[in-house]
Amino acid sequence: MKIYLQEKQMKCDLELITLKNLKNLEKKYKKRLKDLNFSCKNNSIEIINNKIFLGLASKRQEDLKIAFCLLVRKIKKTKFKSLQIHKKALNFEAIVEGLSLGVYEFTKYKSKEVKKEVLEINIIVEPTDFSTLNIDLKKYKSIYKNVNMVRDIVNTSAEDFTPLSMSEKAIKLAKENSLECKVYGESYLLKNDMNAMHAVGRASRHESQLIHLTYKPKNSKGVIVFVGKGLTYDSGGLSLKSGAGMINMKCDKGGGSAVLGLMSCLKDLNYEYEVHGIIGAVENMIGGDAFKPGDILRAKNKTTIEVRNTDAEGRLVLADCLCYAQDEVKNIDYIFDIATLTGACITALGSYTTAVMGHSEKLKKKIFKASKDSGELVGELPFNRYLFPIIKSNIADITNSTGSAGGSSILASMFLDRFIKKENKNKWLHFDIAGSAFNEKGWAYHYPGASGASVRLLLKFIKNLK
Ligand code: BES
Ligand code: ZN
Ligand code: ZN
């Protein structure tokens, strides 16, 4: 699909007519649509001659995105190749977002070749708005290209996307987007006391990869660090998941993949913050060399961890990556980790919502604003001081699993808190995307599978910083 801006009407296969209601419509169309049970509230879509009618009772941004997603999905099923849209009073960003995310499909594994859609969309705007909207359009295209790239990565099977694939992808994206890129293997992890991360990947035939991407603009206003959980597969390890619990665990690279997506947008968006993207790409498997419940691991900051459940592996990987980030990056203003960390997050907030946790109320407020602006759903899971002692271990400093204490998502976050330096406590937030990163059925304008969660959210966060 290609989207263009136009100052004048064009000849297109289809012309979009959006309808709030049927009141002022030409008689012949009104009758036809009524006969077809056309409903403006339910985003009905009907094609009559060369006009495509779209029911649009609400112009709220999220409603617009859903409507334009449905529109593009409908046109894809027809023979029509071009569409003209009059922007009028509609929100431009929502139109482009609905079309760009709505057109996405994941067909990599279909044996029958799916023909590439060649749909051309022309959005007619006022000549006075043309140049500003064209600049915006370029930026939006970069964002949605990268959100869809993240979806592709997360949807790709664990056999086809390994920790090494993650570092190769990072190197490629770095070249395309003028980023610095450092990649380290397991010998680096051992040499640098990153034993918690190392232990998780030990039984896999794929070597763990620590990836560090950096975006350095000319005039930086501050330093932001994103740390992503990149479990290319999570079998649970020796604390093996159930058969059903394992089916979609290729999605456990959702956080790391989102970091790749975020980093790939920064240059196109001209962001004026130095941004670091750090990814722990690891596969959690079983085998003779697997780490075990009962093992004690010493993380990079010397904290000792009693492993009580090898399926609580994400926090082990993130612990060392967070230490690495704070040792290697100077003058941090914001440090966020993004992870499909706990199933309990889905129980707490449902399938579509990202959980945010952290100490700073001010910072969380900024995230709620970014949530509103981006349309990504975010809910808070609150800390309290009585929960903190629960992660204590009798034999080591802390344990990675507390059994049936409840509040598992918050406890995971409190575990991570042990790896945040004092000076960074109020700069840190943890994002649990277990529910929002992947959904087998899809929802709203999200195709079944990966959603690219947190990319749009955190780009809005940076944009709003100014
Ligand atoms: N990757 C899973 C969390 C997950 C579950 C992500 C469902 C997406 C969908 C994580 O590593 C995990 O298994 N967490 C355990 C922690 C427990 C053992 C303390 C969980 O949530 O059950
Ligand atoms: Zn796990
Ligand atoms: Zn996991």
mmCIF file of all heavy atoms in Angstrom, residues 229 231 234 241 249 252 284 311-314 340-341, ligand 3:
data_model
loop_
_atom_site.group_PDB
_atom_site.id
_atom_site.type_symbol
_atom_site.label_atom_id
_atom_site.label_comp_id
_atom_site.label_asym_id
_atom_site.label_seq_id
_atom_site.Cartn_x
_atom_site.Cartn_y
_atom_site.Cartn_z
ATOM 1 N N LYS A 229 13.442 -7.304 26.949
ATOM 2 C CA LYS A 229 13.532 -8.762 27.129
ATOM 3 C C LYS A 229 13.381 -9.419 25.760
ATOM 4 O O LYS A 229 12.338 -9.306 25.125
ATOM 5 C CB LYS A 229 12.430 -9.256 28.083
ATOM 6 C CG LYS A 229 12.292 -10.781 28.152
ATOM 7 C CD LYS A 229 11.203 -11.227 29.144
ATOM 8 C CE LYS A 229 10.963 -12.742 29.061
ATOM 9 N NZ LYS A 229 9.896 -13.209 29.964
ATOM 10 N N LEU A 231 13.531 -12.844 24.769
ATOM 11 C CA LEU A 231 13.531 -14.311 24.846
ATOM 12 C C LEU A 231 12.965 -14.848 23.531
ATOM 13 O O LEU A 231 11.754 -14.800 23.317
ATOM 14 C CB LEU A 231 12.699 -14.770 26.048
ATOM 15 C CG LEU A 231 13.472 -15.108 27.332
ATOM 16 C CD1 LEU A 231 14.202 -16.455 27.223
ATOM 17 C CD2 LEU A 231 14.445 -14.014 27.717
ATOM 18 N N ASP A 234 10.643 -19.194 25.130
ATOM 19 C CA ASP A 234 10.615 -19.481 26.562
ATOM 20 C C ASP A 234 9.852 -20.786 26.787
ATOM 21 O O ASP A 234 8.627 -20.802 26.825
ATOM 22 C CB ASP A 234 9.930 -18.321 27.315
ATOM 23 C CG ASP A 234 9.869 -18.570 28.811
ATOM 24 O OD1 ASP A 234 10.559 -19.499 29.284
ATOM 25 O OD2 ASP A 234 9.149 -17.823 29.501
ATOM 26 N N LYS A 241 7.048 -25.312 31.051
ATOM 27 C CA LYS A 241 5.669 -24.841 30.867
ATOM 28 C C LYS A 241 4.782 -26.007 30.433
ATOM 29 O O LYS A 241 5.282 -27.008 29.924
ATOM 30 C CB LYS A 241 5.629 -23.766 29.774
ATOM 31 C CG LYS A 241 6.150 -22.409 30.200
ATOM 32 C CD LYS A 241 5.929 -21.381 29.098
ATOM 33 C CE LYS A 241 6.517 -20.028 29.453
ATOM 34 N NZ LYS A 241 5.844 -19.364 30.584
ATOM 35 N N MET A 249 5.070 -18.972 22.860
ATOM 36 C CA MET A 249 6.203 -18.372 23.565
ATOM 37 C C MET A 249 7.315 -17.824 22.657
ATOM 38 O O MET A 249 8.340 -17.336 23.136
ATOM 39 C CB MET A 249 6.753 -19.322 24.622
ATOM 40 C CG MET A 249 5.996 -19.181 25.931
ATOM 41 S SD MET A 249 5.914 -17.463 26.488
ATOM 42 C CE MET A 249 4.208 -17.341 26.970
ATOM 43 N N ASP A 252 7.869 -14.109 23.413
ATOM 44 C CA ASP A 252 8.625 -13.609 24.565
ATOM 45 C C ASP A 252 9.778 -12.689 24.152
ATOM 46 O O ASP A 252 10.477 -12.147 25.004
ATOM 47 C CB ASP A 252 9.150 -14.803 25.370
ATOM 48 C CG ASP A 252 9.015 -14.584 26.863
ATOM 49 O OD1 ASP A 252 8.272 -13.670 27.259
ATOM 50 O OD2 ASP A 252 9.678 -15.310 27.631
ATOM 51 N N ASN A 284 15.381 -19.830 26.317
ATOM 52 C CA ASN A 284 15.266 -20.580 27.583
ATOM 53 C C ASN A 284 14.841 -22.015 27.271
ATOM 54 O O ASN A 284 13.683 -22.268 26.954
ATOM 55 C CB ASN A 284 14.227 -19.895 28.482
ATOM 56 C CG ASN A 284 14.146 -20.521 29.869
ATOM 57 O OD1 ASN A 284 15.075 -21.219 30.306
ATOM 58 N ND2 ASN A 284 13.052 -20.260 30.571
ATOM 59 N N ASP A 311 11.268 -20.738 34.993
ATOM 60 C CA ASP A 311 10.353 -20.050 34.070
ATOM 61 C C ASP A 311 10.264 -18.552 34.392
ATOM 62 O O ASP A 311 9.732 -17.778 33.597
ATOM 63 C CB ASP A 311 8.967 -20.709 34.141
ATOM 64 C CG ASP A 311 8.086 -20.331 32.967
ATOM 65 O OD1 ASP A 311 8.608 -19.750 31.988
ATOM 66 O OD2 ASP A 311 6.876 -20.610 33.018
ATOM 67 N N ALA A 312 10.779 -18.151 35.549
ATOM 68 C CA ALA A 312 10.856 -16.710 35.839
ATOM 69 C C ALA A 312 12.226 -16.241 35.368
ATOM 70 O O ALA A 312 13.045 -15.741 36.141
ATOM 71 C CB ALA A 312 10.650 -16.455 37.328
ATOM 72 N N GLU A 313 12.459 -16.438 34.056
ATOM 73 C CA GLU A 313 13.790 -16.206 33.471
ATOM 74 C C GLU A 313 13.971 -14.775 32.984
ATOM 75 O O GLU A 313 15.087 -14.272 32.932
ATOM 76 C CB GLU A 313 14.025 -17.193 32.318
ATOM 77 C CG GLU A 313 13.445 -16.787 30.944
ATOM 78 C CD GLU A 313 11.937 -16.599 30.933
ATOM 79 O OE1 GLU A 313 11.258 -17.190 31.778
ATOM 80 O OE2 GLU A 313 11.438 -15.838 30.070
ATOM 81 N N GLY A 314 12.856 -14.131 32.632
ATOM 82 C CA GLY A 314 12.955 -12.786 32.053
ATOM 83 C C GLY A 314 13.624 -11.819 33.007
ATOM 84 O O GLY A 314 14.488 -11.021 32.625
ATOM 85 N N THR A 340 7.716 -9.008 28.127
ATOM 86 C CA THR A 340 6.579 -9.919 28.325
ATOM 87 C C THR A 340 6.930 -10.731 29.578
ATOM 88 O O THR A 340 7.382 -11.850 29.491
ATOM 89 C CB THR A 340 6.439 -10.861 27.112
ATOM 90 O OG1 THR A 340 7.751 -11.363 26.782
ATOM 91 C CG2 THR A 340 5.870 -10.158 25.898
ATOM 92 N N LEU A 341 6.721 -10.110 30.742
ATOM 93 C CA LEU A 341 7.347 -10.667 31.947
ATOM 94 C C LEU A 341 6.486 -11.652 32.733
ATOM 95 O O LEU A 341 6.998 -12.633 33.235
ATOM 96 C CB LEU A 341 7.827 -9.528 32.866
ATOM 97 C CG LEU A 341 8.995 -9.918 33.778
ATOM 98 C CD1 LEU A 341 10.216 -10.322 32.961
ATOM 99 C CD2 LEU A 341 9.361 -8.807 34.739
HETATM 100 ZN ZN ZN B 3 9.490 -15.438 29.573
#
